[in-house]
Amino acid sequence: MSLDKPYTDIPGTTIFDADKSREGYHLNQFCMSLMKAENRARFKANERAYLDEWPMSEEQKQAVMARDLNRCIALGGNIYFLAKIGATDGKSFQQMAGSMTGMTEDQYRDMMVKGGRSIEGNRKTGEKK
Amino acid sequence: MAKIVGTITTSHVPAIGGAIAKGLQSDPYWKPFFDGFPPVRDWLAKVKPDVVVLVYNDHGLNFFLDKMPTFAIGAAAEYRNADEGWGIPTVAPFRGDPELSWHIIESLVAEDFDLVTCQEMVVDHAFTLPMALCWPDQKWPVRTVPVVVNTVQAPLPSAKRCYKLGQALGRAIASWPKDERVVVMGTGGLSHQLDGERAGFINKDFDLKFMDSMVNDPAWATKYSTVELVELSGTQGVELLNWVVARGTLPEKVSKRQANYHIPISNTASGLMVLEPA
Protein backbone atom coordinates (compact mmCIF):
# COMPACT_ATOMS: atom_id res chain seq x y z
CA MET A 1 0.00 0.00 0.00
CA SER A 2 1.44 3.33 -0.88
CA LEU A 3 1.21 6.47 1.17
CA ASP A 4 -0.89 9.43 0.17
CA LYS A 5 0.83 11.50 -2.45
CA PRO A 6 -0.09 15.11 -1.92
CA TYR A 7 2.50 16.07 -4.47
CA THR A 8 1.00 14.93 -7.74
CA ASP A 9 -0.60 18.31 -8.35
CA ILE A 10 2.49 20.38 -9.11
CA PRO A 11 2.16 20.87 -12.89
CA GLY A 12 4.78 19.33 -15.18
CA THR A 13 6.57 17.89 -12.16
CA THR A 14 7.36 14.36 -11.01
CA ILE A 15 8.57 13.71 -7.49
CA PHE A 16 11.14 10.93 -7.60
CA ASP A 17 9.74 8.74 -4.84
CA ALA A 18 9.96 5.10 -3.80
CA ASP A 19 7.56 3.91 -6.52
CA LYS A 20 9.53 5.73 -9.21
CA SER A 21 12.83 4.60 -7.75
CA ARG A 22 11.72 0.95 -7.89
CA GLU A 23 10.27 1.22 -11.39
CA GLY A 24 13.31 3.05 -12.73
CA TYR A 25 16.06 1.19 -10.91
CA HIS A 26 17.64 -0.50 -13.93
CA LEU A 27 16.96 2.43 -16.25
CA ASN A 28 18.86 4.67 -13.85
CA GLN A 29 21.58 2.08 -13.42
CA PHE A 30 22.04 1.94 -17.19
CA CYS A 31 22.38 5.74 -17.17
CA MET A 32 25.04 5.64 -14.47
CA SER A 33 27.03 3.06 -16.46
CA LEU A 34 27.61 5.87 -18.97
CA MET A 35 29.97 7.57 -16.51
CA LYS A 36 32.66 5.24 -17.90
CA ALA A 37 34.16 6.28 -21.21
CA GLU A 38 34.33 2.68 -22.47
CA ASN A 39 30.59 2.23 -21.82
CA ARG A 40 29.76 5.49 -23.57
CA ALA A 41 31.66 4.19 -26.61
CA ARG A 42 29.87 0.82 -26.55
CA PHE A 43 26.46 2.49 -26.15
CA LYS A 44 27.14 4.84 -29.07
CA ALA A 45 28.32 1.99 -31.28
CA ASN A 46 25.11 0.01 -30.82
CA GLU A 47 22.44 1.48 -28.56
CA ARG A 48 19.98 -1.36 -28.83
CA ALA A 49 22.58 -4.02 -28.03
CA TYR A 50 23.88 -2.05 -25.07
CA LEU A 51 20.38 -1.46 -23.69
CA ASP A 52 19.59 -5.17 -24.06
CA GLU A 53 22.30 -5.87 -21.48
CA TRP A 54 20.08 -4.25 -18.84
CA PRO A 55 16.88 -5.71 -17.39
CA MET A 56 14.86 -2.69 -18.49
CA SER A 57 11.34 -2.73 -19.88
CA GLU A 58 10.92 -2.43 -23.65
CA GLU A 59 9.12 0.86 -23.04
CA GLN A 60 12.10 2.21 -21.13
CA LYS A 61 14.51 1.16 -23.87
CA GLN A 62 12.33 2.82 -26.54
CA ALA A 63 12.13 6.01 -24.48
CA VAL A 64 15.94 6.10 -24.17
CA MET A 65 16.48 5.51 -27.90
CA ALA A 66 13.94 8.24 -28.70
CA ARG A 67 15.68 10.54 -26.15
CA ASP A 68 12.19 11.21 -24.79
CA LEU A 69 13.19 12.38 -21.33
CA ASN A 70 9.62 13.07 -20.17
CA ARG A 71 8.77 9.47 -21.01
CA CYS A 72 11.92 8.27 -19.24
CA ILE A 73 10.87 10.19 -16.13
CA ALA A 74 7.35 8.77 -16.30
CA LEU A 75 8.97 5.31 -16.37
CA GLY A 76 11.09 5.94 -13.29
CA GLY A 77 14.10 7.80 -14.63
CA ASN A 78 15.70 10.49 -12.47
CA ILE A 79 17.09 13.54 -14.22
CA TYR A 80 20.34 13.49 -12.24
CA PHE A 81 21.04 10.09 -13.78
CA LEU A 82 19.30 10.59 -17.15
CA ALA A 83 21.67 13.53 -17.61
CA LYS A 84 24.41 10.98 -18.34
CA ILE A 85 22.63 10.14 -21.63
CA GLY A 86 22.72 13.80 -22.61
CA ALA A 87 26.37 14.06 -21.61
CA THR A 88 27.08 11.03 -23.83
CA ASP A 89 25.31 12.80 -26.70
CA GLY A 90 27.34 15.95 -26.05
CA LYS A 91 24.24 17.89 -24.91
CA SER A 92 24.34 20.47 -22.16
CA PHE A 93 22.09 20.22 -19.13
CA GLN A 94 20.24 23.22 -20.49
CA GLN A 95 19.61 21.49 -23.81
CA MET A 96 18.33 18.43 -21.94
CA ALA A 97 16.05 20.40 -19.62
CA GLY A 98 14.73 22.46 -22.53
CA SER A 99 13.91 19.31 -24.51
CA MET A 100 11.24 18.43 -21.93
CA THR A 101 9.35 21.69 -22.19
CA GLY A 102 8.11 21.73 -25.78
CA MET A 103 10.21 24.85 -26.41
CA THR A 104 13.02 25.22 -28.92
CA GLU A 105 16.56 25.42 -27.59
CA ASP A 106 16.71 29.16 -28.31
CA GLN A 107 13.32 29.83 -26.73
CA TYR A 108 14.34 27.97 -23.59
CA ARG A 109 17.73 29.66 -23.30
CA ASP A 110 16.03 33.00 -23.82
CA MET A 111 13.48 32.23 -21.09
CA MET A 112 16.29 31.39 -18.66
CA VAL A 113 18.25 34.55 -19.45
CA LYS A 114 15.06 36.53 -18.80
CA GLY A 115 14.67 35.05 -15.35
CA GLY A 116 13.30 31.56 -15.91
CA ARG A 117 9.81 30.10 -15.76
CA SER A 118 7.61 32.01 -13.33
CA ILE A 119 5.73 30.41 -10.46
CA GLU A 120 2.61 32.23 -11.70
CA GLY A 121 0.40 29.52 -13.21
CA ASN A 122 3.01 26.87 -12.44
CA ARG A 123 2.38 26.16 -8.80
CA LYS A 124 -0.74 23.97 -8.66
CA THR A 125 -2.54 22.00 -11.35
CA GLY A 126 -5.78 23.76 -12.22
CA GLU A 127 -4.84 27.12 -10.75
CA LYS A 128 -5.91 30.11 -12.75
CA LYS A 129 -3.18 31.71 -14.83
CA MET B 1 38.77 24.21 21.22
CA ALA B 2 37.72 24.30 17.58
CA LYS B 3 35.79 27.30 16.35
CA ILE B 4 33.40 27.65 13.45
CA VAL B 5 34.58 30.86 11.82
CA GLY B 6 31.74 31.01 9.33
CA THR B 7 29.73 29.37 6.57
CA ILE B 8 29.91 29.56 2.81
CA THR B 9 26.79 28.51 0.92
CA THR B 10 26.75 28.35 -2.86
CA SER B 11 25.24 26.67 -5.91
CA HIS B 12 27.05 23.68 -7.46
CA VAL B 13 25.86 23.37 -11.09
CA PRO B 14 28.09 21.05 -13.22
CA ALA B 15 28.34 23.72 -15.94
CA ILE B 16 30.50 25.77 -13.54
CA GLY B 17 33.16 23.09 -14.03
CA GLY B 18 32.91 23.51 -17.79
CA ALA B 19 33.21 27.28 -17.46
CA ILE B 20 36.29 26.95 -15.23
CA ALA B 21 37.89 24.47 -17.65
CA LYS B 22 37.28 26.83 -20.58
CA GLY B 23 38.38 29.95 -18.64
CA LEU B 24 35.02 31.70 -19.06
CA GLN B 25 35.12 33.59 -15.74
CA SER B 26 34.98 36.96 -17.53
CA ASP B 27 32.53 35.87 -20.23
CA PRO B 28 29.43 38.11 -20.05
CA TYR B 29 27.19 35.09 -19.34
CA TRP B 30 29.35 33.85 -16.45
CA LYS B 31 30.85 37.03 -15.04
CA PRO B 32 27.93 37.94 -12.73
CA PHE B 33 28.30 34.52 -11.12
CA PHE B 34 32.11 34.35 -10.82
CA ASP B 35 32.30 37.97 -9.62
CA GLY B 36 30.72 36.84 -6.38
CA PHE B 37 33.79 34.86 -5.35
CA PRO B 38 36.79 37.23 -5.00
CA PRO B 39 35.31 38.63 -1.74
CA VAL B 40 34.86 35.05 -0.52
CA ARG B 41 38.53 34.33 -1.21
CA ASP B 42 39.54 37.53 0.58
CA TRP B 43 37.47 36.43 3.54
CA LEU B 44 39.07 32.96 3.50
CA ALA B 45 42.53 34.54 3.41
CA LYS B 46 41.55 36.44 6.55
CA VAL B 47 39.90 33.64 8.56
CA LYS B 48 42.42 30.97 7.46
CA PRO B 49 40.43 27.80 8.04
CA ASP B 50 42.19 24.54 8.90
CA VAL B 51 39.20 22.42 8.03
CA VAL B 52 36.14 22.59 5.76
CA VAL B 53 33.07 20.55 6.67
CA LEU B 54 31.15 20.44 3.40
CA VAL B 55 27.43 19.59 3.32
CA TYR B 56 26.10 18.57 -0.09
CA ASN B 57 24.04 16.03 -1.98
CA ASP B 58 25.71 13.36 -4.07
CA HIS B 59 24.30 12.78 -7.57
CA GLY B 60 25.09 9.10 -7.99
CA LEU B 61 28.88 9.09 -7.93
CA ASN B 62 29.19 7.72 -4.39
CA PHE B 63 25.56 6.92 -3.53
CA PHE B 64 23.34 5.44 -6.20
CA LEU B 65 19.81 4.11 -5.66
CA ASP B 66 21.23 0.79 -4.44
CA LYS B 67 22.22 2.49 -1.17
CA MET B 68 20.73 5.89 -0.42
CA PRO B 69 21.37 7.11 3.09
CA THR B 70 19.36 10.05 4.37
CA PHE B 71 22.49 11.41 6.06
CA ALA B 72 26.07 10.19 5.59
CA ILE B 73 29.51 11.39 6.58
CA GLY B 74 33.01 10.72 5.30
CA ALA B 75 35.66 9.35 7.67
CA ALA B 76 38.46 8.82 5.17
CA ALA B 77 42.03 10.12 5.02
CA GLU B 78 41.51 11.17 1.40
CA TYR B 79 38.59 11.87 -0.93
CA ARG B 80 38.95 11.54 -4.67
CA ASN B 81 36.86 12.96 -7.46
CA ALA B 82 36.00 10.77 -10.48
CA ASP B 83 34.60 11.07 -14.00
CA GLU B 84 30.89 11.82 -13.81
CA GLY B 85 30.56 11.75 -17.59
CA TRP B 86 30.31 15.55 -17.98
CA GLY B 87 33.59 15.86 -19.86
CA ILE B 88 35.01 18.21 -17.22
CA PRO B 89 38.46 17.58 -15.73
CA THR B 90 38.63 15.86 -12.37
CA VAL B 91 40.37 17.72 -9.56
CA ALA B 92 43.20 16.81 -7.19
CA PRO B 93 42.31 14.65 -4.16
CA PHE B 94 41.23 16.27 -0.91
CA ARG B 95 42.83 15.53 2.44
CA GLY B 96 40.40 14.16 5.01
CA ASP B 97 40.57 14.28 8.79
CA PRO B 98 39.45 10.88 10.10
CA GLU B 99 39.95 11.89 13.74
CA LEU B 100 37.63 14.86 13.41
CA SER B 101 35.18 12.82 11.33
CA TRP B 102 34.94 10.20 14.06
CA HIS B 103 34.61 12.85 16.72
CA ILE B 104 31.67 14.31 14.79
CA ILE B 105 30.16 10.86 14.32
CA GLU B 106 30.44 10.07 18.05
CA SER B 107 28.87 13.39 18.91
CA LEU B 108 26.03 13.21 16.36
CA VAL B 109 25.08 9.61 17.14
CA ALA B 110 25.05 10.53 20.85
CA GLU B 111 22.50 13.19 19.86
CA ASP B 112 20.38 10.56 18.03
CA PHE B 113 21.47 11.41 14.48
CA ASP B 114 22.29 8.01 13.00
CA LEU B 115 24.52 8.76 10.04
CA VAL B 116 26.02 6.29 7.60
CA THR B 117 29.80 6.36 8.09
CA CYS B 118 32.05 6.06 5.04
CA GLN B 119 35.74 5.16 5.30
CA GLU B 120 35.85 5.20 1.53
CA MET B 121 34.08 7.85 -0.42
CA VAL B 122 34.35 9.60 -3.79
CA VAL B 123 33.17 13.19 -4.02
CA ASP B 124 31.24 14.63 -6.94
CA HIS B 125 30.81 18.10 -8.47
CA ALA B 126 28.67 19.29 -5.55
CA PHE B 127 31.78 18.98 -3.39
CA THR B 128 34.57 19.75 -5.86
CA LEU B 129 33.17 22.82 -7.66
CA PRO B 130 32.48 24.94 -4.56
CA MET B 131 36.00 24.08 -3.36
CA ALA B 132 37.42 25.10 -6.76
CA LEU B 133 35.48 28.37 -6.60
CA CYS B 134 37.03 29.12 -3.20
CA TRP B 135 40.55 27.97 -4.16
CA PRO B 136 40.94 28.39 -7.94
CA ASP B 137 44.51 27.08 -7.89
CA GLN B 138 42.99 23.80 -6.62
CA LYS B 139 45.80 23.39 -4.10
CA TRP B 140 43.53 22.71 -1.19
CA PRO B 141 44.93 24.33 1.97
CA VAL B 142 42.41 22.61 4.25
CA ARG B 143 41.44 19.18 5.49
CA THR B 144 37.86 18.20 4.68
CA VAL B 145 34.90 16.33 6.11
CA PRO B 146 32.08 15.58 3.63
CA VAL B 147 28.52 15.40 4.96
CA VAL B 148 25.94 14.10 2.50
CA VAL B 149 22.19 14.76 2.61
CA ASN B 150 19.74 12.84 0.42
CA THR B 151 17.96 15.38 -1.76
CA VAL B 152 17.52 12.88 -4.60
CA GLN B 153 15.05 10.16 -3.64
CA ALA B 154 11.89 11.00 -1.69
CA PRO B 155 11.23 10.83 1.17
CA LEU B 156 13.82 13.52 1.83
CA PRO B 157 14.71 14.68 5.33
CA SER B 158 12.60 17.66 6.36
CA ALA B 159 14.06 21.15 6.56
CA LYS B 160 13.31 21.00 10.28
CA ARG B 161 15.41 17.85 10.65
CA CYS B 162 18.20 19.34 8.52
CA TYR B 163 18.30 22.45 10.68
CA LYS B 164 18.55 20.31 13.81
CA LEU B 165 21.30 18.25 12.21
CA GLY B 166 23.15 21.49 11.55
CA GLN B 167 22.76 22.58 15.16
CA ALA B 168 24.08 19.22 16.39
CA LEU B 169 26.93 19.40 13.85
CA GLY B 170 27.79 22.83 15.21
CA ARG B 171 27.97 21.47 18.75
CA ALA B 172 30.06 18.52 17.54
CA ILE B 173 32.61 20.79 15.87
CA ALA B 174 32.70 23.19 18.83
CA SER B 175 33.56 20.30 21.16
CA TRP B 176 36.55 19.20 19.06
CA PRO B 177 39.45 19.72 21.47
CA LYS B 178 41.99 20.91 18.91
CA ASP B 179 42.46 24.63 18.54
CA GLU B 180 41.35 24.75 14.90
CA ARG B 181 39.35 27.01 12.66
CA VAL B 182 36.48 25.44 10.75
CA VAL B 183 34.42 26.69 7.82
CA VAL B 184 31.14 24.88 7.14
CA MET B 185 30.01 24.90 3.53
CA GLY B 186 26.55 24.04 2.19
CA THR B 187 26.09 23.59 -1.56
CA GLY B 188 23.19 23.33 -3.99
CA GLY B 189 20.17 25.31 -5.12
CA LEU B 190 18.86 27.85 -5.28
CA SER B 191 15.58 27.57 -7.19
CA HIS B 192 15.76 25.33 -10.24
CA GLN B 193 13.98 22.47 -11.91
CA LEU B 194 15.74 20.27 -14.44
CA ASP B 195 12.91 17.94 -15.36
CA GLY B 196 9.46 17.79 -16.88
CA GLU B 197 7.38 20.43 -18.60
CA ARG B 198 8.03 22.77 -15.67
CA ALA B 199 11.82 22.66 -16.32
CA GLY B 200 13.34 26.11 -16.15
CA PHE B 201 11.29 27.01 -13.09
CA ILE B 202 12.84 29.83 -11.03
CA ASN B 203 11.40 31.60 -8.00
CA LYS B 204 13.39 34.75 -7.31
CA ASP B 205 11.02 36.03 -4.59
CA PHE B 206 11.36 32.80 -2.66
CA ASP B 207 15.14 32.65 -3.10
CA LEU B 208 15.61 36.20 -1.84
CA LYS B 209 13.35 35.52 1.16
CA PHE B 210 15.35 32.38 1.87
CA MET B 211 18.67 34.24 1.64
CA ASP B 212 17.33 36.92 3.96
CA SER B 213 16.19 34.22 6.40
CA MET B 214 19.72 32.79 6.46
CA VAL B 215 20.71 36.04 8.20
CA ASN B 216 17.63 37.12 10.11
CA ASP B 217 15.35 34.15 10.68
CA PRO B 218 17.37 30.91 10.44
CA ALA B 219 14.48 28.55 11.15
CA TRP B 220 12.24 30.16 8.48
CA ALA B 221 12.64 27.33 5.94
CA THR B 222 11.69 24.74 8.55
CA LYS B 223 8.02 25.73 8.30
CA TYR B 224 7.87 24.15 4.85
CA SER B 225 7.52 20.46 4.03
CA THR B 226 9.91 19.11 1.41
CA VAL B 227 7.00 18.91 -1.06
CA GLU B 228 6.23 22.58 -0.44
CA LEU B 229 9.90 23.34 -1.01
CA VAL B 230 9.70 21.55 -4.38
CA GLU B 231 6.57 23.51 -5.24
CA LEU B 232 8.27 26.79 -4.30
CA SER B 233 11.86 26.21 -5.43
CA GLY B 234 11.67 23.37 -7.99
CA THR B 235 12.47 19.66 -7.96
CA GLN B 236 16.20 20.40 -7.57
CA GLY B 237 15.79 23.69 -5.70
CA VAL B 238 15.18 21.48 -2.71
CA GLU B 239 18.98 21.13 -2.52
CA LEU B 240 18.71 24.25 -0.37
CA LEU B 241 18.41 21.73 2.48
CA ASN B 242 22.22 21.67 2.43
CA TRP B 243 22.22 25.42 3.15
CA VAL B 244 19.81 24.80 6.02
CA VAL B 245 22.22 22.28 7.59
CA ALA B 246 25.15 24.68 7.22
CA ARG B 247 23.16 27.57 8.71
CA GLY B 248 22.24 25.41 11.68
CA THR B 249 25.90 25.21 12.71
CA LEU B 250 25.97 28.98 13.41
CA PRO B 251 24.44 30.79 16.35
CA GLU B 252 21.12 32.62 16.00
CA LYS B 253 22.87 35.97 15.41
CA VAL B 254 25.17 36.22 12.42
CA SER B 255 26.79 38.86 10.24
CA LYS B 256 26.65 38.69 6.47
CA ARG B 257 30.10 39.07 4.89
CA GLN B 258 29.16 38.45 1.26
CA ALA B 259 26.06 37.67 -0.79
CA ASN B 260 25.47 37.28 -4.50
CA TYR B 261 22.43 36.17 -6.49
CA HIS B 262 22.20 35.73 -10.22
CA ILE B 263 19.80 34.21 -12.75
CA PRO B 264 20.70 32.10 -14.65
CA ILE B 265 23.63 29.78 -14.67
CA SER B 266 22.44 27.03 -16.99
CA ASN B 267 18.97 26.19 -15.56
CA THR B 268 19.63 27.54 -12.10
CA ALA B 269 19.31 30.65 -9.94
CA SER B 270 22.72 30.84 -8.30
CA GLY B 271 23.09 31.99 -4.74
CA LEU B 272 26.17 32.68 -2.64
CA MET B 273 26.51 33.76 0.97
CA VAL B 274 29.25 34.07 3.56
CA LEU B 275 28.06 34.32 7.16
CA GLU B 276 30.01 34.73 10.38
CA PRO B 277 28.92 34.33 13.96
CA ALA B 278 27.97 37.82 15.14
Side-chain angles (χ1 to χ4, degrees):
Chain A
M1 202 203 86
S2 52
L3 300 167
D4 282 347
K5 295 189 178 184
Y7 44 78
T8 48
D9 66 344
I10 306 173
T13 299
T14 303
I15 302 276
F16 185 75
D17 64 6
D19 289 341
K20 288 285 157 218
S21 189
R22 289 169 68 184
E23 182 183 4
Y25 187 75
H26 295 292
L27 165 59
N28 289 311
Q29 203 166 47
F30 144 74
C31 292
M32 293 310 280
S33 76
L34 299 177
M35 285 200 299
K36 290 204 169 81
E38 69 203 63
N39 290 341
R40 292 195 285 272
R42 284 209 300 125
F43 174 65
K44 281 200 237 185
N46 187 339
E47 294 195 6
R48 178 76 220 194
Y50 189 78
L51 286 165
D52 282 341
E53 295 172 19
W54 301 88
M56 294 160 58
S57 70
E58 181 59 27
E59 233 184 329
Q60 288 171 331
K61 293 177 191 175
Q62 292 296 340
V64 170
M65 287 188 291
R67 301 297 190 269
D68 183 343
L69 295 183
N70 281 325
R71 192 78 201 121
C72 288
I73 286 168
L75 297 169
N78 178 299
I79 190 61
Y80 285 138
F81 311 133
L82 293 170
K84 311 300 179 188
I85 303 173
T88 303
D89 291 338
K91 299 257 189 215
S92 72
F93 229 124
Q94 188 168 75
Q95 289 170 315
M96 280 182 266
S99 79
M100 289 177 265
T101 63
M103 304 169 86
T104 67
E105 207 178 305
D106 285 347
Q107 283 169 338
Y108 183 85
R109 187 181 160 95
D110 198 42
M111 175 182 78
M112 293 317 300
V113 168
K114 287 181 175 150
R117 186 183 305 283
S118 164
I119 190 165
E120 297 301 323
N122 287 308
R123 183 165 180 176
K124 292 276 191 210
T125 306
E127 80 180 312
K128 291 218 166 36
K129 296 214 176 189
Chain B
M1 301 296 274
K3 179 175 167 28
I4 298 176
V5 293
T7 59
I8 302 171
T9 47
T10 176
S11 304
H12 65 215
V13 179
I16 298 166
I20 291 173
K22 292 181 198 140
L24 297 179
Q25 290 88 340
S26 299
D27 176 89
Y29 183 89
W30 285 101
K31 192 171 171 4
F33 169 74
F34 280 101
D35 276 358
F37 286 90
V40 179
R41 300 197 277 265
D42 292 344
W43 178 79
L44 283 166
K46 197 181 65 162
V47 299
K48 294 186 177 60
D50 303 292
V51 180
V52 167
V53 176
L54 200 152
V55 185
Y56 68 108
N57 59 287
D58 180 88
H59 305 72
L61 186 67
N62 193 72
F63 295 116
F64 179 63
L65 304 173
D66 57 339
K67 301 172 191 73
M68 182 57 72
T70 302
F71 299 123
I73 182 167
E78 183 181 83
Y79 304 97
R80 288 180 173 273
N81 182 211
D83 182 8
E84 294 177 69
W86 308 122
I88 58 177
T90 54
V91 302
F94 300 85
R95 275 180 299 145
D97 187 337
E99 263 188 273
L100 173 58
S101 288
W102 285 109
H103 168 81
I104 293 171
I105 292 160
E106 294 278 359
S107 178
L108 287 176
V109 174
E111 291 208 45
D112 299 328
F113 285 92
D114 308 314
L115 291 86
V116 169
T117 58
C118 307
Q119 296 199 66
E120 286 189 46
M121 191 176 207
V122 281
V123 291
D124 80 356
H125 66 274
F127 184 103
T128 62
L129 294 177
M131 290 293 287
L133 289 164
C134 289
W135 289 284
D137 64 1
Q138 303 189 10
K139 290 175 181 147
W140 322 118
V142 289
R143 285 164 278 125
T144 59
V145 177
V147 175
V148 181
V149 177
N150 166 30
T151 68
V152 174
Q153 175 188 270
L156 311 181
S158 69
K160 190 175 161 194
R161 183 74 173 154
C162 288
Y163 188 60
K164 286 185 176 172
L165 172 67
Q167 290 176 311
L169 181 60
R171 288 188 288 272
I173 294 166
S175 67
W176 174 237
K178 287 190 187 169
D179 192 19
E180 293 193 317
R181 304 163 70 77
V182 180
V183 165
V184 179
M185 290 173 64
T187 84
L190 290 175
S191 64
H192 65 302
Q193 174 151 340
L194 303 173
D195 48 4
E197 291 85 354
R198 202 173 81 137
F201 177 85
I202 297 283
N203 191 345
K204 184 176 179 179
D205 286 347
F206 176 84
D207 288 340
L208 295 181
K209 273 184 205 146
F210 174 66
M211 287 176 75
D212 180 69
S213 79
M214 290 281 288
V215 181
N216 297 310
D217 187 7
W220 178 78
T222 66
K223 69 182 177 183
Y224 294 112
S225 70
T226 53
V227 173
E228 286 168 329
L229 289 175
V230 167
E231 188 181 308
L232 291 166
S233 71
T235 38
Q236 285 74 37
V238 75
E239 292 171 343
L240 65 81
L241 291 173
N242 301 313
W243 288 46
V244 173
V245 176
R247 178 60 182 89
T249 65
L250 292 177
E252 178 99 19
K253 298 259 182 254
V254 296
S255 310
K256 182 170 74 180
R257 289 284 166 254
Q258 165 65 349
N260 190 38
Y261 182 78
H262 174 68
I263 304 168
I265 49 170
S266 189
N267 306 281
T268 301
S270 70
L272 167 66
M273 295 187 90
V274 175
L275 302 177
E276 269 183 358

